[in-house]
Amino acid sequence: MSTTNELIKLSNDWMQAWKDNDMNFLENILAPDFRLLTSELWVMPREKWLASVPVYKCHSFEYKEQEVRDYGNTAIVQSYYSQ
């Protein structure tokens, strides 16, 4: 599987785990220095994001666009989605 395909799959698995409140999966997939950057340029650190998972109920999500930039041992996934 290519890096791009693997990261797109992981992005979908991440959102499904969020929707399902699968805290074990989420704790394991997010790096210690994870930061969520929103379209409003608001940054949410890992612990705050994880704390919001049980509180916020996602009924559905859909990726509208995903761009993967592969730099060898680092990659960036930029997504546009609706929920």
Side-chain angles (χ1 to χ4, degrees), residues 31-50:
D33 60 348
F34 167 85
R35 301 285 184 271
L36 178 70
L37 176 63
T38 70
S39 59
E40 293 85 24
L41 301 178
W42 186 66
V43 179
M44 183 183 288
R46 181 183 194 273
E47 291 309 315
K48 189 170 184 178
W49 187 85
L50 286 169

Side-chain angles (χ1 to χ4, degrees), residues 7 11 29 35 41 51 53 60 62-63 74 76:
L7 289 172
S11 292
I29 196 172
R35 301 285 184 271
L41 301 178
V53 171
S60 66
E62 176 187 4
Y63 282 113
T74 302
I76 297 171

Side-chain angles (χ1 to χ4, degrees), residues 8-26:
I8 288 172
K9 180 187 179 319
L10 284 170
S11 292
N12 282 293
D13 292 347
W14 172 41
M15 288 289 96
Q16 188 63 49
W18 172 58
K19 185 178 171 195
D20 295 341
N21 287 310
D22 185 346
M23 297 304 293
N24 186 50
F25 182 88
L26 295 170

